[in-house]
Amino acid sequence: MTEDAKAGVPWMALAALGVVFGDIGTSPLYTLSACLAALSMPATPAHLLAIISLILWTLILVVAVKYAWFVMRADEHGEGGVMVITALAARGQPEGSRTRWLIFALGLLGASLFYGDGAVTPAISVLSALQGMEVASARLTPLVVPLSVGIIIGLFWIQRRGTAAISRFFGPAMLVWFLILLVSGATWVAQAPSVIRAFDPWLGLHILVTHGVGGFTILGAVVLAVTGAEALYADLGHFGARPIRLAWYFAVLPALAFNYLGQGALLILHPAAAQNPFFKMFPGWATIPMVLVSGIATVIASQSIITGAYSATRQASMLGYLPRLTIHHTSASERGQIYLPGLNWALMIAVILIILAFRSSDALSFAYGTAVTGTMLFTTILVFFVARQSWRWPLWKAGLFSGFFVLIDGVFFSANIVKFVAGGWVPVTIGLAVFTLMSTWRRGRKLLTQALSPESLSIPEFLDMITASSINRVPGTAVFLTVRVGGIPHTLLHNLKHNKVLHERVVILTIQFEPIPRVPRAERAAVHDYGKGLYGLIARYGFMEHPDIPKLLAGIALPFSWNAADTTYFVSRQHILPKAGGSLALWRQRLFAVMLKASATAIDFFHLPANQVMELGDVVELPDRPRKPLEP
């Protein structure tokens, strides 16, 4: 690492406080109160210490050890996230094998459950912050839900304008928040220092072993302390491993630990504060100011989730698990500042409905955790494959580390499944809906490609055809977009059939999205001259990049003189004709048809000049059986 890079680490760590740790940083607002609500026994000092012990060791094992040390090593050119770890885990697995299918299924499920988490996080965070008004005055209780809905509407409304201007303040704002957590917690720990005993792991294990189902259900609430842990890995590419670890070990973990200890100390001294221990840590005059401060912190946490949802959706689209999406870049300097209007409004409606349905953070805590623990479990399983394939760990070592954390994640997941009926079904339903969309699109696209393949000719066959016939050649360059390599796209054949002409220069362009974040510039494009004015161009992009075809053509060496104004782009748009008895269920064919129709146009997705594009349409029936195994 260079000296300049080292000097920038503290600033990157400060920025990470506002983006990476917003979700987990606001968990003290509701975690302990949710644990007390799940407690089926008197909240004695011994039980309080046991709960605090479970929270502390969950933070240490799940976040400090598993994510900060173990999972964050699974990077691809410095990038992280569920899509990255899926691609790494699948590397080296034979195409069409059961193991490869399992890896993609787990990755897809993990990515899908993230959306369930993304819908619940803003709801529980904002509700828990505004419920502090109830501590100040019970007369303010009716305002909690309406104000929460108003904040959510405002938060999603500003997304279209971008957050680049205000995001620079997220880090300093969250630094103030973590200082408040640290100081308030330390103040109460000083009054009841016996709470330090909670660092004894046997206290937490004892309540689990001796209280049976009662101790087990507490874990469903304890896991709320680590919601947002996935962000350490997902935002790896934005900040780097070292700044994230620095922020976690030296700022976030101490602040969270002291605050949970402080809440425990408060309850030992004042058991009546159990209804809302976080806000009762502060004197009465500070309640409303703390509501405002915590409201700002929860908005920042919600913004991080929204930004993460945008990034995950774009990655899924680039990898072929979602249709082409309309993406607006809201910043000229920040590559990650994007806005997806369709996702934005869908997520806003989901969050509002959840707020109106549950109306309090304690009730909503039953809906929280299932999606989070599911994603954690799938990530741990995928790390096993990465450890074997990429890190070359022996089986015993990969199995030991992964097995230990699979056991922990499995226990947390099982504890949350118990509360499925009470609300856990909400994020799971959202996740399964997203999984259905992703898997349907993936399978549908593969079947569609197979359906169109018979219409294509090979390159030599096409060259023989145009040599033997007197086809009119017109001036200019024609660029035909296709997903198939080594064949003539059906759009070219249709244009030749109906318009009876062929441009002087014909470029068959294939855009390939690789399962890596970014493709090196030197490996971006490969050009083949087939003769007779026919050229093949393969352009490769990573799933965190966005293709711009005119910019691509202008930036590479072509075997002819390219004129941007004298180029026509030919694209295709298919219309699916669903039929019964196909390899894809009829309802999924109809769903795929709707998704295909709703996908963004090639003009928007590839940044094509609208007045130079010709679109050709096809009505297609999907084939009865796939010719090779399809990934989910």
Side-chain angles (χ1 to χ4, degrees):
M1 182 179 289
T2 64
E3 292 299 323
D4 290 340
K6 290 180 180 179
V9 167
W11 295 107
M12 293 295 288
L14 177 62
L17 288 178
V19 177
V20 179
F21 298 105
D23 190 1
I24 197 171
T26 53
S27 59
L29 286 167
Y30 48 79
T31 298
L32 187 56
S33 60
C35 290
L36 295 174
L39 189 65
S40 58
M41 58 200 82
T44 63
H47 291 154
L48 284 171
L49 288 176
I51 292 174
I52 300 298
S53 176
L54 289 172
I55 292 174
L56 292 176
W57 280 100
T58 299
L59 287 170
I60 293 170
L61 291 176
V62 173
V63 187
V65 178
K66 175 188 163 182
Y67 277 98
W69 181 79
F70 190 47
V71 176
M72 286 177 63
R73 296 181 61 188
D75 71 299
E76 176 72 12
H77 301 297
E79 300 287 352
V82 66
M83 291 297 178
V84 169
I85 201 169
T86 302
L88 286 172
R91 186 171 296 170
Q93 299 294 336
E95 189 77 26
S97 66
R98 289 185 179 274
T99 302
R100 185 179 176 87
W101 185 95
L102 174 64
I103 288 171
F104 275 98
L106 291 174
L108 215 56
L109 280 169
S112 301
L113 288 175
F114 170 79
Y115 291 91
D117 180 23
V120 176
T121 295
I124 193 173
S125 298
V126 174
L127 276 173
S128 60
L130 293 184
Q131 280 174 202
M133 296 190 302
E134 299 174 349
V135 176
S137 174
R139 292 178 298 177
L140 298 177
T141 300
L143 298 177
V144 171
V145 172
L147 286 177
S148 298
V149 172
I151 289 174
I152 292 299
I153 292 175
L155 176 62
F156 281 94
W157 182 262
I158 65 172
Q159 298 303 313
R160 61 177 182 172
R161 299 183 181 276
T163 57
I166 61 173
S167 61
R168 69 189 67 177
F169 301 108
F170 286 178
M174 289 306 295
L175 178 60
V176 172
W177 171 254
F178 286 117
L179 287 174
I180 291 174
L181 294 184
L182 180 65
V183 172
S184 60
T187 301
W188 282 100
V189 170
Q191 298 181 48
S194 63
V195 76
I196 297 294
R197 290 178 52 217
F199 276 108
D200 183 355
W202 298 113
L203 295 179
L205 290 175
H206 180 74
I207 196 173
L208 295 180
V209 173
T210 59
H211 289 78
V213 176
F216 187 68
T217 54
I218 293 174
L219 287 177
V222 168
V223 77
L224 298 178
V226 293
T227 56
E230 279 280 335
L232 274 75
Y233 181 49
D235 291 317
L236 185 60
H238 294 153
F239 303 99
R242 189 175 180 184
I244 291 175
R245 289 182 179 129
L246 181 67
W248 168 254
Y249 288 119
F250 293 96
V252 181
L253 180 57
L256 293 177
F258 265 101
N259 196 262
Y260 284 121
L261 289 168
Q263 290 187 48
L266 165 70
L267 293 175
I268 291 174
L269 297 174
H270 304 285
Q275 184 179 1
N276 200 322
F278 178 82
F279 284 100
K280 290 184 179 178
M281 295 175 72
F282 303 92
W285 61 265
T287 302
I288 295 300
M290 278 307 304
V291 170
L292 296 176
V293 172
S294 59
I296 294 172
T298 55
V299 166
I300 294 174
S302 301
Q303 178 62 55
S304 300
I305 285 290
I306 295 170
T307 303
Y310 289 165
S311 298
T313 303
R314 180 176 68 172
Q315 292 177 16
S317 175
M318 297 303 180
L319 286 173
Y321 288 103
L322 285 174
R324 292 193 302 249
L325 302 169
T326 299
I327 299 175
H328 301 306
H329 292 267
T330 58
S331 173
S333 57
E334 296 292 333
R335 179 172 46 193
Q337 290 284 341
I338 58 175
Y339 169 63
L340 282 69
L343 175 64
N344 186 72
W345 302 122
L347 198 56
M348 184 192 77
I349 292 171
V351 174
I352 291 175
L353 290 176
I354 289 172
I355 289 175
L356 295 177
F358 289 88
R359 307 187 71 83
S360 75
S361 60
D362 285 343
L364 194 51
S365 67
F366 289 103
Y368 212 21
T370 310
V372 175
T373 53
T375 302
M376 289 180 176
L377 177 60
F378 299 146
T379 298
T380 304
I381 296 173
L382 291 173
V383 170
F384 168 79
F385 292 101
V386 175
R388 293 284 292 146
Q389 296 291 332
S390 299
W391 304 342
R392 302 299 179 185
W393 282 14
L395 180 61
W396 69 267
K397 185 177 180 181
L400 181 64
F401 277 86
S402 300
F404 175 72
F405 290 113
V406 163
L407 177 63
I408 294 176
D409 294 337
V411 170
F412 278 124
F413 184 71
S414 301
N416 278 275
I417 288 295
V418 171
K419 58 184 184 180
F420 183 85
V421 177
W425 61 271
V426 174
V428 173
T429 300
I430 295 173
L432 289 178
V434 175
F435 178 82
T436 301
L437 291 174
M438 287 185 172
S439 59
T440 297
W441 179 258
R442 181 74 167 183
R443 288 175 62 88
R445 284 297 303 178
K446 284 184 173 289
L447 291 170
L448 179 60
T449 301
Q450 292 178 5
L452 295 173
S453 295
E455 299 183 21
S456 299
L457 293 175
S458 67
I459 299 295
E461 289 173 335
F462 182 76
L463 291 174
D464 291 341
M465 184 187 73
I466 62 175
T467 300
S469 58
S470 55
I471 298 175
N472 293 325
R473 305 295 290 256
V474 296
T477 302
V479 177
F480 290 87
L481 275 67
T482 180
V483 297
R484 186 168 178 252
V485 178
I488 300 298
H490 65 282
T491 47
L492 174 53
L493 298 177
H494 283 196
N495 179 61
L496 193 57
K497 176 182 177 181
H498 296 291
N499 295 325
K500 316 295 184 186
V501 297
L502 196 65
H503 285 72
E504 285 181 340
R505 295 171 297 277
V506 176
V507 178
I508 301 174
L509 173 59
T510 303
I511 302 289
Q512 294 182 337
F513 291 101
E514 304 294 340
I516 58 176
R518 294 183 177 86
V519 172
R521 188 180 185 88
E523 302 174 17
R524 173 74 69 207
V527 184
H528 304 279
D529 186 349
Y530 298 116
K532 296 184 171 39
L534 183 67
Y535 305 91
L537 172 57
I538 299 175
R540 301 168 63 241
Y541 289 88
F543 57 75
M544 298 193 73
E545 298 178 295
H546 200 79
D548 185 322
I549 290 179
K551 185 177 180 180
L552 168 73
L553 295 173
I556 62 175
L558 293 168
F560 59 87
S561 179
W562 180 67
N563 184 352
D566 196 25
T567 301
T568 303
Y569 300 91
F570 289 82
V571 298
S572 63
R573 179 170 284 269
Q574 291 80 32
H575 301 274
I576 302 301
L577 188 63
K579 64 174 182 178
S583 60
L584 203 60
L586 185 60
W587 68 269
R588 295 187 75 183
Q589 291 184 52
R590 290 171 176 161
L591 176 60
F592 176 66
V594 172
M595 295 175 72
L596 189 64
K597 188 175 182 179
S599 62
T601 65
I603 295 174
D604 296 328
F605 191 78
F606 295 111
H607 295 89
L608 301 177
N611 60 347
Q612 294 177 238
V613 175
M614 180 173 290
E615 186 176 81
L616 302 174
D618 295 292
V619 177
V620 182
E621 286 187 353
L622 299 181
D624 291 338
R625 293 184 180 84
R627 299 176 183 175
K628 58 182 179 180
L630 300 178
E631 292 168 3

